[in-house]
Amino acid sequence: MSMVDQPVRRGEIPEPRFGFWRRSFAMVIKEFIQLRRDRVSFAMIVMIPVMQLLLFGYAINTTPRNLPTAVLLQEDSDVARSILKALENTAYFRFTREVHDVAEFDNLLLSGKVLFGVEIPRGFERAVRRGERPALLVAADATDPVAAGSAMSTLGVVAQTALEHDLFTGDPAAPPFEIRAHARYNPAASSRLNIVPGLVGTILTMTMLIFTALSVTREIERGTMESLLSMPIRPIEVMFGKIVPYVLVGFVQATLIVGIGVLLFGVPVRGSLIMLALLSTLFITTNLAIGYTFSTIVQNQLQAMQLSMMFFLPSILLSGFMFPFAGMPVWAQYIGEGLPLTHYLRIVRAIMLKGAALQNLEYDTIALFALMLLAMTIAVTRFRRTLD
Amino acid sequence: MIAAPVSAPEIAIDVHGLSKSFDGREVVHDLSMQVKRGTIYGFLGPNGSGKTTTIRMLCGLLTPDSGEGRCLGYDIRRDADKIKRQVGYMTQRFSLYQDLSVRENLEFVARLYGMRDPQGAARDMISRLGLSGREQQLAGELSGGWKQRLALGACTLPNPQLLLLDEPTAGVDPKARRDFWNEIHALAAEGLTVLVSTHYMDEAERCHEIAYIAYGYLLAHGTVEEVIAKSALSTYTVTGDQLHTLQDQLAGKPGVDMVAPFGTSLHVSGRDKAALDATIAPWRDDKGLHWQHSEPSLEDVFIELMTRSKDNFQ
Ligand SMILES: Nc1ncnc2c1ncn2[C@@H]1O[C@H](COP(=O)(O)OP(=O)(O)O)[C@@H](O)[C@H]1O
Ligand SMILES: [Mg+2]
């Protein structure tokens, strides 16, 4: 038995060195032990992702319109303008960007800022007039086959009719030019390819939210909050202690889902696995912070669950998981931008299916970071330090 | 150090005019108290009288609506963080983690206070508490008495200067209760200040000083002798037959402030000795009754204070 720490009565207990880390660490260990003892939660960590993944076998079909499209005009001519007009008339395409070189064009597609790119090559009009039937390139981001599919299917008609009024073609059966459609990233238009990365995001949102949304109310309802508050621990330390163990849990879940996706459904991971892991951790932490914020606001566990559901539903509906984001009305897109899942879906799809790199995903990474900091700030300020 | 303790170092708790309301109902009213360092201060009063609320205000868990004061020299409103570092608070309801083992609970506390060797400190405390062999048991599975010991161990673990114990012995068997008080006296001998709330009268006698609170009003304080002396209560102890009938007959008569059975005897008390003597005169000659003028017990004093305050405040 150690005799080093002989009690010294009546002395002030000093603030220990590295007090912040010691207290956060104390909290983390405690939470880990509690999680380990909670068999149901433990089962949930494995069961939820596996079940969801196996159940979600199908996609929901919609016909999105006004999809953002970039144009690379190598020449400015009447013919080119007529074709663009005809494309816009289909109501599927909306020209949001005009770019000047191929690199920019590719970058926009990669980052998901546009779903389509139209390239009109130099000397196009002259070639049409000469009857050479030149090719016009339409590149589509086919990671979401539902979004890309219907728009692509109208291209044939556009080629037939776009120049009806401008030209005097000798042979009306043969279109005056050719459209070369190129479905990028997901040439087979497999919706599973799109769904599995999406599921990583939705499953993590749900489980992470619920784990932390209950954490503070549980302490209050079990009466342990009174003891905890009477000890010298600060709100930010409580928060860290409650979040850190679940970052690990979320990481295990993400690995499980991606693993099943790759092994069972043949989903590729084209980008960097390390980056996927890092950004997933960021997303996991953001959700944990939001759930924790909920638990500092609500009065009991029921309210915590309800609030989580109220957050989870729009996350599913407005993030681009169920319906293509670009096809949603503007107001819904605004809401969607405020949801971490929206940004993570872009990230996870881009990394897994398109092989995107960090510089393509800067905006979404920063957005996730901002949402995380916002949630943490609210949680720390909202945390009630007394029983009043 | 800006917030160094400023009030007299011999006073551990020094508060004035504390009030607290919940939903418009005042549960602690204008309460002032001083507790000297190194003493065991008993905080007595019936259920719902505001003991827990007062203790929570002392350690920064509740903010008083009005009033101010110092705890270990720190301002109870501004320096709650500093107070928490020096105070061990044992809650009325067991509030350690039921799904953590004895050892894990103690280690958690040791880590939170930044103790150098949390495992060693927990181990030492387990043997001091006589909990060896149970350290792996979940706290939720301990019996009431053991839970109480563990809770005391947890709040003394970081070597605090002040212990706030909220009804630590409620529902504990007499043997465990005695052990508990021995432990508290041992701690006080080491220089620790202890504020302990209870509603057991015999425990009041074990305190150096006591305060009595009812319906949010602090009605009396001092040593047990002082409280009894200040009550100016005249008490007769009656033994004999038909005490039950006598109790009914005397209740509410002029001069009789309190009449209550104590075991096989009846205590009849009043503040106005002359009026009391006049009222009981007819029964004093009763051959079946034996009357003896006696010092009121603490319980007499408290029951009298309580009934009086009930009339005044409710
Ligand atoms: N958080 C609270 N909200 C509302 N009422 C409370 C709260 N805490 C205590 N009370 C009320 O204040 C009164 C005093 O309670 P308490 O301080 O617990 O008394 P004691 O500890 O002496 O039994 C009781 O009537 C109780 O119902
Ligand atoms: Mg109480």
Side-chain angles (χ1 to χ4, degrees):
Chain A
M1 202 150 292
S2 91
M3 281 302 180
V4 201
D5 266 328
Q6 265 300 315
V8 185
R9 294 288 173 201
R10 293 182 59 107
E12 290 269 312
I13 305 174
E15 158 78 21
R17 293 212 305 156
F18 312 116
F20 170 81
W21 297 108
R22 285 171 191 263
R23 292 185 292 266
S24 301
F25 179 64
M27 206 61 198
V28 168
I29 294 197
K30 185 214 90 172
E31 290 288 325
F32 257 125
I33 299 173
Q34 289 187 304
L35 176 63
R36 208 186 57 208
R37 299 254 155 84
D38 186 352
R39 293 271 152 79
V40 179
S41 290
F42 219 67
M44 253 189 22
I45 293 167
V46 178
M47 289 300 291
I48 290 184
V50 173
M51 242 175 56
Q52 293 254 32
L53 206 54
L54 298 179
L55 288 179
F56 263 93
Y58 57 93
I60 290 143
N61 204 350
T62 52
T63 321
R65 289 169 196 278
N66 292 320
L67 304 172
T69 306
V71 192
L72 176 56
L73 268 187
Q74 307 270 32
E75 76 164 27
D76 189 13
S77 62
D78 292 340
V79 166
R81 275 191 296 275
S82 298
I83 293 172
L84 293 184
K85 188 95 197 92
L87 282 173
E88 227 167 12
N89 283 343
T90 63
Y92 287 115
F93 304 95
R94 184 164 47 87
F95 297 109
T96 52
R97 303 284 184 118
E98 181 164 350
V99 298
H100 302 288
D101 58 60
V102 180
E104 206 182 335
F105 184 86
D106 288 345
N107 197 23
L108 282 174
L109 271 174
L110 206 51
S111 63
K113 293 200 175 86
V114 296
L115 287 185
F116 297 97
V118 177
E119 180 186 351
I120 297 187
R122 202 179 305 284
F124 185 75
E125 173 158 8
R126 202 150 47 108
V128 170
R129 292 196 190 280
R130 283 187 190 158
E132 289 171 4
R133 306 196 55 223
L136 174 139
L137 177 73
V138 176
D141 174 351
T143 44
D144 187 344
V146 183
S150 21
M152 298 292 270
S153 65
T154 63
L155 291 177
V157 183
V158 171
Q160 279 283 356
T161 58
L163 301 180
E164 263 174 358
H165 305 295
D166 299 63
L167 292 175
F168 28 75
T169 35
D171 181 4
F177 63 97
E178 188 187 333
I179 293 185
R180 203 168 293 153
H182 182 199
R184 292 195 184 178
Y185 315 125
N186 185 5
S190 154
S191 55
R192 235 182 230 168
L193 233 53
N194 187 43
I195 286 277
V196 170
L199 273 180
V200 184
T202 41
I203 294 170
L204 285 178
T205 302
M206 185 158 107
T207 49
M208 294 301 104
L209 269 184
I210 287 177
F211 277 134
T212 42
L214 299 180
S215 61
V216 172
T217 41
R218 191 167 40 211
E219 297 252 4
I220 293 174
E221 285 179 12
R222 292 187 185 171
T224 51
M225 195 50 125
E226 194 177 357
S227 252
L228 190 62
L229 286 180
S230 77
M231 295 193 270
I233 190 166
R234 287 189 300 232
I236 191 166
E237 294 153 2
V238 177
M239 180 174 77
F240 279 0
K242 297 252 173 211
I243 285 183
V244 170
Y246 293 105
V247 173
L248 224 79
V249 169
F251 200 81
V252 170
Q253 281 195 332
T255 312
L256 203 65
I257 306 166
V258 173
I260 296 180
V262 171
L263 295 178
L264 232 61
F265 298 124
V267 182
V269 183
R270 300 208 168 98
S272 145
L273 207 52
I274 294 175
M275 213 178 54
L276 182 62
L278 283 179
L279 293 182
S280 298
T281 307
L282 173 63
F283 172 68
I284 288 165
T285 314
T286 306
N287 278 309
L288 291 170
I290 291 173
Y292 183 75
T293 307
F294 289 168
S295 81
T296 59
I297 294 171
V298 298
Q299 305 290 335
N300 53 50
Q301 304 210 15
L302 183 64
Q303 285 180 9
M305 293 297 285
Q306 287 168 336
L307 203 55
S308 303
M309 276 300 136
M310 262 180 51
F311 185 80
F312 184 61
L313 280 182
S315 285
I316 289 214
L317 298 175
L318 304 182
S319 62
F321 174 70
M322 280 226 170
F323 314 112
F325 193 78
M328 297 189 320
V330 176
W331 62 264
Q333 294 195 7
Y334 270 114
I335 298 178
E337 292 290 337
L339 301 167
L341 185 56
T342 307
H343 302 288
Y344 183 66
L345 284 184
R346 288 182 198 148
I347 290 173
V348 72
R349 282 173 180 163
I351 295 180
M352 287 180 76
L353 305 180
K354 305 184 202 171
L358 187 59
Q359 57 265 33
N360 306 121
L361 304 167
E362 262 168 8
Y363 163 71
D364 293 303
T365 307
I366 291 172
L368 277 183
F369 227 93
L371 288 171
M372 178 184 80
L373 287 183
L374 179 69
M376 287 184 168
T377 310
I378 297 177
V380 169
T381 45
R382 282 282 323 194
F383 186 83
R384 286 183 292 269
R385 305 201 62 186
T386 63
L387 303 169
D388 284 288
Chain B
M1 285 277 269
I2 309 152
V6 293
S7 76
E10 308 80 52
I11 308 285
I13 299 175
D14 187 7
V15 293
H16 298 279
L18 294 188
S19 296
K20 183 74 188 174
S21 302
F22 290 114
D23 317 315
R25 198 167 58 89
E26 196 169 57
V27 301
V28 173
H29 175 86
D30 193 21
L31 180 138
S32 304
M33 66 195 290
Q34 277 78 39
V35 177
K36 292 192 209 71
R37 279 198 194 238
T39 56
I40 300 178
Y41 196 89
F43 200 31
L44 288 99
N47 281 328
S49 56
K51 299 186 295 293
T52 301
T53 306
T54 305
I55 292 176
R56 284 174 173 170
M57 286 193 281
L58 292 177
C59 63
L61 282 181
L62 285 174
T63 321
D65 295 337
S66 62
E68 62 208 45
R70 294 184 169 267
C71 195
L72 297 168
Y74 294 114
D75 189 294
I76 57 166
R77 286 177 182 278
R78 286 200 317 268
D79 297 328
D81 280 341
K82 301 208 175 70
I83 293 175
K84 286 173 186 177
R85 177 162 294 291
Q86 314 297 334
V87 171
Y89 171 39
M90 178 171 164
T91 55
Q92 180 170 359
R93 200 183 128 198
F94 184 74
S95 63
L96 294 175
Y97 295 96
Q98 314 245 7
D99 51 349
L100 256 54
S101 72
V102 170
R103 187 169 52 80
E104 288 158 351
N105 266 304
L106 291 172
E107 284 177 6
F108 173 63
V109 173
R111 284 197 190 95
L112 262 196
Y113 281 84
M115 294 179 76
R116 254 173 300 145
D117 176 16
Q119 275 146 4
R123 213 178 322 115
D124 292 349
M125 184 51 80
I126 285 168
S127 58
R128 178 167 183 166
L129 294 172
L131 273 164
S132 304
R134 292 176 196 266
E135 60 258 50
Q136 307 286 8
Q137 210 169 328
L138 295 188
E141 290 166 4
L142 294 175
S143 70
W146 285 115
K147 270 189 185 150
Q148 241 105 350
R149 286 195 76 73
L150 173 60
L152 180 70
C155 71
T156 52
L157 186 63
N159 295 326
Q161 301 185 62
L162 170 66
L163 278 188
L164 302 174
L165 310 176
D166 196 0
E167 299 199 18
T169 54
V172 174
D173 66 66
K175 165 81 169 65
R177 215 141 67 82
R178 169 166 306 175
D179 293 346
F180 203 92
W181 274 96
N182 288 342
E183 181 77 23
I184 289 176
H185 272 275
L187 289 167
E190 292 175 53
L192 202 63
T193 312
V194 183
L195 177 81
V196 52
S197 83
T198 177
H199 49 227
Y200 292 115
M201 290 303 144
D202 60 317
E203 294 190 344
E205 319 265 354
R206 293 169 175 268
C207 299
H208 299 123
E209 279 189 47
I210 56 167
Y212 185 77
I213 181 174
Y215 310 106
Y217 289 77
L218 193 100
L219 301 175
H221 63 92
T223 63
V224 171
E225 295 73 27
E226 282 166 1
V227 169
I228 291 175
K230 262 186 275 183
S231 76
L233 208 58
S234 291
T235 299
Y236 288 94
T237 305
V238 195
T239 46
D241 318 318
Q242 305 296 321
L243 290 178
H244 196 71
T245 348
L246 179 65
Q247 184 184 354
D248 290 344
Q249 287 163 335
L250 285 176
K253 286 268 162 35
V256 179
D257 290 315
M258 197 204 70
V259 47
F262 274 77
T264 56
S265 64
L266 192 68
H267 284 202
V268 184
S269 319
R271 264 159 290 142
D272 184 345
K273 186 162 190 309
L276 178 65
D277 285 343
T279 301
I280 62 172
W283 283 279
R284 293 210 62 165
D285 305 327
D286 191 326
K287 290 283 172 294
L289 295 172
H290 174 70
W291 290 79
Q292 190 185 2
H293 192 247
S294 61
E295 172 109 308
S297 71
L298 199 55
E299 193 162 350
D300 293 326
V301 174
F302 287 161
I303 293 174
E304 194 273 329
L305 283 171
M306 196 175 102
T307 38
R308 185 144 51 97
S309 64
K310 193 172 192 171
D311 299 340
N312 289 353
F313 309 134
Q314 296 234 315

